[in-house]
Amino acid sequence: MEKIVIRGGASLKGEVEASGAKNAVLPLMCVALLTSDEMTFHRVPALRDIRTTKQLLLQLGVRLDDFTPGTLRIKACEITDHTAPYELVKTMRASVLALGPLMAREGRADVSLPGGCAIGARPIDQHLKGLEAMGAEIQLDKGYVIARADRLRATDFTFDLKTVTGTENLIMAASLAKGTTVLRNCAVEPEVGELIHVLNRMGAAIEGAGTETLVIEGRDRLHGVVHEVMPDRIEVGSYLIAAAITGGDVTVTNSRPDHVSALLDKLQEVGLQVDVGEDSVRVRSNGPIAGRDVSTDPYPGFATDLQAQYMALMSLAQGTSVIRENVFENRFMHVQELVRMGADIRVSGRAATVRGVRSLSGAHVQATDLRASASLVLAGLAAEGSTHIHRVYHLDRGYDRLDEKLRNLGADVTREKDDIV
Ligand code: EPZ
């Protein structure tokens, strides 16, 4: 096991380039199952979740070529297995994204139920309801979803709630289904738009990208494409908050400012200087940070994946802020660890009240989930003394070369062997 050790106090300065988006690559790796042609993706980040998905694709009989760093070639000539096993799905819920493509191309899939995780129950009832509406027979057996269909057929389906991977699964399923499918109340996250863009380049016929209603004309086959993955908006937001919390001046390049506009509005509101370029964002400290409330919502609202990072910033703000988590029912696992560093935070239901303190103190803390770990890194960057973040594998799921990128911005960060856990 490894840990990250941060000696706080440095103001981050300089430029950092955003990596490709984890939550775009994961569905795109599964969309490769929809064609027997080769798919080539560039700007693929080196993340644990990407490695897990490669394992899943190999398990299904897919051929991979990842010898060039940042480039991934996938060729699903034929699918020789139809199981997404528990040992893979339990480590990464997004494995469920194999369900739609397997049903569309093969008419069968045995996918382990993801089970809950640190941030909530995270059921997949919407994914299953949508596939049943498309004619799939779904059974649950020994913790697995057993899905069968002769050929998926078009449907007019309305999601009961906004679900990102639920929307992505059904878009992929409908792309090869017979007839014209209408999906309503869809998630409109940029990663969903990226998936639609790639599918249309593969020969799919999907209208309504960026809106909650999608019309999908099923095709008999799709062809391979070459695609450069969009920048990771959550990584971009995390580095911008790192600049804010350390009183620094950081420019994130190769990014999509329009994908983080809710965060940029909030950073300006709390008193930061924010400058937006065509594909870069610069955040500069501009005096004390004011406490300001935030509520997370599906896109284009404030991203739930940036809630923990924003809470770290509010821990050192002047005044009080209330942070409401409206997407997940248990996404405050970072609170106790921040409190151990001296933060003053009280949770009641889905709201956390943060009273800004003058300083945080470094401590030994434990990562619990990907974004909670990021908030502990940010707190450590600003804290007095050293912070040891244990179970750093949580961070490796979603941040490519985090310690290296932070060091390049002037942070005193090292990755060390962890003899505690
Ligand atoms: C995606 O997860 C992201 N993961 C998450 O990022 C992100 O936090 C989340 O969307 C919300 O933006 C990927 O894209 C791989 P949901 P997803 O389905 O699709 C409930 C990260 O840190 N729900 O949009 O799993 C669910 O319980 C990760 O990168 C149902 O009730 O999230 C949750 O409360 C964490 N039934 C809410 O909807 C369903 O069938 C939103 O979940 C599906 C979801």
Side-chain angles (χ1 to χ4, degrees):
M1 288 269 194
E2 288 187 304
K3 63 180 176 180
I4 276 188
V5 181
I6 301 172
R7 281 156 287 275
S11 290
L12 302 194
K13 293 203 183 337
E15 281 195 3
V16 59
E17 180 173 320
S19 299
K22 165 178 88 78
N23 290 348
V25 174
L26 297 179
L28 289 175
M29 290 173 77
C30 292
V31 91
L33 295 168
L34 292 175
T35 176
S36 53
D37 292 356
E38 181 171 83
M39 297 286 286
T40 301
F41 299 111
H42 295 299
R43 200 180 177 186
V44 176
L47 300 173
R48 194 160 157 258
D49 277 6
I50 307 284
R51 291 191 290 276
T52 302
T53 308
K54 286 180 189 173
Q55 279 181 280
L56 172 62
L57 291 177
L58 289 169
Q59 149 103 17
L60 300 176
V62 170
R63 286 185 6 217
L64 294 180
D65 165 356
D66 57 358
F67 303 111
T68 309
T71 293
L72 177 61
R73 290 182 175 80
I74 303 173
K75 196 164 169 45
C77 308
E78 59 167 328
I79 293 169
T80 55
D81 192 308
H82 303 82
T83 303
Y86 174 69
E87 56 273 14
L88 278 181
V89 178
K90 75 175 165 56
T91 64
M92 188 191 67
R93 168 192 163 74
S95 309
V96 77
L97 284 165
L99 185 56
L102 284 174
M103 287 306 290
R105 176 152 175 210
E106 299 281 303
R108 57 176 301 174
D110 297 352
V111 175
S112 168
L113 280 165
C117 73
I119 61 179
R122 301 182 75 184
I124 57 168
D125 57 294
Q126 298 295 306
H127 302 234
L128 304 182
K129 205 172 158 185
L131 286 171
E132 282 177 325
M134 298 179 75
E137 297 281 324
I138 305 272
Q139 288 179 334
L140 301 185
D141 182 34
K142 301 185 186 68
Y144 276 74
V145 172
I146 310 297
R148 298 291 182 270
D150 294 336
R151 184 180 180 190
L152 292 178
R153 62 172 186 269
T155 185
D156 188 323
F157 178 77
T158 301
F159 288 98
D160 297 329
L161 49 85
K162 289 280 192 305
T163 161
V164 175
T165 49
T167 300
E168 292 167 342
N169 240 335
L170 292 190
I171 288 171
M172 293 189 279
S175 296
L176 289 183
K178 188 170 174 48
T180 302
T181 294
V182 180
L183 300 178
R184 302 176 196 275
N185 196 27
C186 296
V188 293
E189 270 67 6
E191 294 77 18
V192 176
E194 173 103 339
L195 177 67
I196 293 170
H197 171 69
V198 170
L199 274 165
N200 281 338
R201 290 189 55 223
M202 293 168 69
I206 305 170
E207 289 173 12
T211 76
E212 297 179 358
T213 303
L214 299 173
V215 180
I216 304 166
E217 181 71 45
R219 292 291 196 243
D220 291 333
R221 71 177 301 279
L222 299 172
H223 58 76
V225 297
V226 178
H227 175 71
E228 175 168 313
V229 175
M230 69 184 226
D232 190 315
R233 61 191 169 100
I234 305 305
E235 186 198 31
V236 169
S238 302
Y239 284 109
L240 295 177
I241 296 174
I245 202 170
T246 59
D249 177 355
V250 171
T251 300
V252 181
T253 59
N254 228 341
S255 59
R256 283 284 304 269
D258 56 320
H259 288 171
V260 285
S261 46
L263 173 69
L264 299 187
D265 293 347
K266 195 51 76 175
L267 292 180
Q268 279 178 314
E269 202 183 317
V270 305
L272 289 145
Q273 173 75 31
V274 176
D275 300 302
V276 173
E278 195 180 315
D279 68 349
S280 67
V281 185
R282 180 181 181 187
V283 163
R284 276 178 281 174
S285 171
N286 194 16
I289 302 278
R292 287 289 182 276
D293 298 353
V294 80
S295 292
T296 68
D297 279 309
Y299 193 87
F302 191 96
T304 174
D305 291 351
L306 287 170
Q307 178 257 103
Q309 298 92 316
Y310 182 75
M311 187 182 287
L313 179 63
M314 287 296 100
S315 301
L316 287 168
Q318 286 190 344
T320 298
S321 57
V322 176
I323 297 175
R324 292 182 194 290
E325 172 51 61
N326 294 322
V327 177
F328 289 106
E329 69 268 23
N330 182 36
R331 203 168 196 175
F332 288 137
M333 302 292 280
H334 42 288
V335 168
Q336 283 320 309
E337 295 304 283
L338 291 172
V339 165
R340 292 183 59 245
M341 296 177 73
D344 179 351
I345 308 170
R346 285 173 178 71
V347 172
S348 168
R350 287 201 176 203
T353 300
V354 185
R355 287 183 180 74
V357 294
R358 195 188 54 76
S359 66
L360 295 173
S361 56
H364 283 260
V365 290
Q366 192 138 296
T368 51
D369 67 271
L370 169 54
R371 307 306 175 182
S373 326
S375 79
L376 300 179
V377 170
L378 297 176
L381 290 170
E384 291 168 358
S386 295
T387 298
H388 296 242
I389 299 167
H390 300 282
R391 299 194 175 178
V392 79
Y393 60 85
H394 286 290
L395 273 170
D396 294 338
R397 294 191 54 180
Y399 289 93
D400 189 359
R401 291 169 291 124
L402 175 71
D403 47 315
E404 177 190 320
K405 290 187 175 183
L406 287 173
R407 272 196 299 277
N408 292 343
L409 292 171
D412 182 346
V413 183
T414 50
R415 230 187 139 97
E416 301 173 15
K417 189 173 170 321
D418 196 350
D419 44 19
I420 288 191
V421 284

